[in-house]
Amino acid sequence: MLKTKIALALAFAFAVVWALFPVSTEAKPATHLKDRRYYEERGDIVWEVPTTDKFIAFTFDDGPSPRQTPEILKILEEYQAKATFFVIGDRVERNPEIVREELRLGHEVANHSLHHPSFQGLNQDSMSKEISRTQEIITQATGHTPTLFRPPGGFYNERLINISKQNHLQLILWSWHQDTNDWRAPGVQRIVNKVLNNARNGDIILMHDFVYKSSQTAEALKIILPELKKQGYSFVTVSELLSHKVAPRNHIKVNH
């Protein structure tokens, strides 16, 4: 009986405290993110492009690399493939000739920040400088000003979306089913399987042309590109892919 009374008293006290000082279960900030559909419908962020055409966009992050990027460019050229390179500003400063070669070969160069920080911990001013300074570096090195931006790690929030717009940049992520995780060096065959087993019209494939002490991305491309070509796919830049966008109702729903 005594235990029952104590339990009831504790329950009553907890209820009073809860009423006076409610505890929030929402871990997100007050201006938390909407769902993916909201940003896609507004055109704020692109994960993939609804299209009836057999086009795929390969994207390469974190370069340019003096060792890996030229090898990847060579393989792309062999299979008449165009790609988009999301470059790091301070690496462009050290290797401007590689970025110029990417453009000369018909590829697209896009902004991937100055130092590849985690944007999750940056304030608005730091975010803006990471993006705008990279724009300046690429323009100075090549005469070309990027129109696309991909945040490191795929992080985004309302603030970053607005900064991207202020810099006249379209925020680009990637198809969830086409994250190759090649930066982990998981093995050539695993990279190959990820792409070939999930290939769909309008995919934006995430790869890297700078992976520490790994050539797996290039080796995987030697298998992926000819096989997809046999299946009738063409390989285009992200901007080219965007030009083939059709109404969302025609897009095949992806089960994640």
Side-chain angles (χ1 to χ4, degrees):
M1 180 67 70
L2 180 60
K3 290 182 178 180
T4 301
K5 289 182 178 180
I6 291 173
L8 290 172
L10 289 172
F12 176 76
F14 180 78
V16 171
V17 171
W18 181 273
L20 292 174
F21 308 101
V23 178
S24 173
T25 58
E26 179 57 76
K28 298 176 182 177
T31 55
H32 63 268
L33 298 172
K34 286 84 172 175
D35 62 16
R36 169 174 166 170
R37 179 179 296 179
Y38 172 84
Y39 294 105
E40 282 185 315
E41 288 178 350
R42 288 164 54 91
D44 290 336
I45 304 174
V46 174
W47 278 266
E48 56 212 5
V49 176
T51 179
T52 56
D53 298 313
K54 298 200 74 168
F55 290 150
I56 285 178
F58 281 86
T59 65
F60 299 90
D61 289 10
D62 298 357
S65 160
R67 184 176 64 85
Q68 296 172 40
T69 307
E71 178 64 17
I72 287 172
L73 288 173
K74 182 179 177 182
I75 297 165
L76 293 173
E77 188 74 2
E78 181 179 352
Y79 293 100
Q80 299 81 51
K82 303 306 178 187
T84 300
F85 290 85
F86 287 90
V87 297
I88 302 298
D90 64 358
R91 289 182 180 147
V92 174
E93 283 188 307
R94 296 195 296 270
N95 305 282
E97 71 287 349
I98 298 177
V99 183
R100 288 194 287 267
E101 181 67 1
E102 290 170 352
L103 289 168
R104 188 189 72 79
L105 292 171
H107 302 294
E108 183 169 31
V109 173
N111 190 321
H112 194 43
S113 80
L114 181 61
H115 299 108
H116 202 281
S118 170
F119 272 56
Q120 190 167 4
L122 296 186
N123 58 34
Q124 181 168 329
D125 186 54
S126 296
M127 284 183 180
S128 184
K129 287 179 180 177
E130 282 284 330
I131 294 171
S132 61
R133 180 58 185 142
T134 302
Q135 290 290 91
E136 292 171 0
I137 290 170
I138 296 171
T139 302
Q140 290 168 3
T142 67
H144 161 81
T145 301
T147 58
L148 307 179
F149 168 66
R150 173 177 285 166
F155 171 81
Y156 64 90
N157 58 19
E158 298 282 353
R159 181 185 299 164
L160 185 56
I161 291 170
N162 289 333
I163 293 172
S164 297
K165 290 178 180 178
Q166 290 165 11
N167 282 273
H168 309 290
L169 291 164
Q170 171 67 61
L171 205 156
I172 303 291
L173 295 182
W174 56 85
S175 303
W176 285 345
H177 56 280
Q178 288 289 14
D179 183 351
T180 64
N181 282 307
D182 60 337
W183 62 274
R184 297 178 183 267
V188 171
Q189 197 56 49
R190 292 190 69 174
I191 298 171
V192 169
N193 292 344
K194 183 68 173 181
V195 176
L196 295 185
N197 292 342
N198 294 285
R200 303 169 191 178
N201 296 358
D203 278 353
I204 297 177
I205 298 174
L206 175 60
M207 304 183 94
H208 296 77
D209 61 324
F210 177 81
V211 181
Y212 184 66
K213 290 186 176 180
S214 173
S215 60
Q216 291 182 8
T217 301
E219 294 303 313
L221 280 173
K222 293 176 184 177
I223 303 171
I224 293 168
L225 292 176
E227 180 56 35
L228 287 180
K229 202 166 183 180
K230 287 180 186 175
Q231 296 176 26
Y233 287 102
S234 295
F235 315 116
V236 299
T237 65
V238 171
S239 289
E240 173 68 14
L241 186 62
L242 287 169
S243 72
H244 291 270
K245 182 177 180 179
V246 297
R249 68 177 180 273
N250 295 329
H251 190 33
I252 298 173
K253 184 177 179 182
V254 175
N255 295 315
H256 298 295

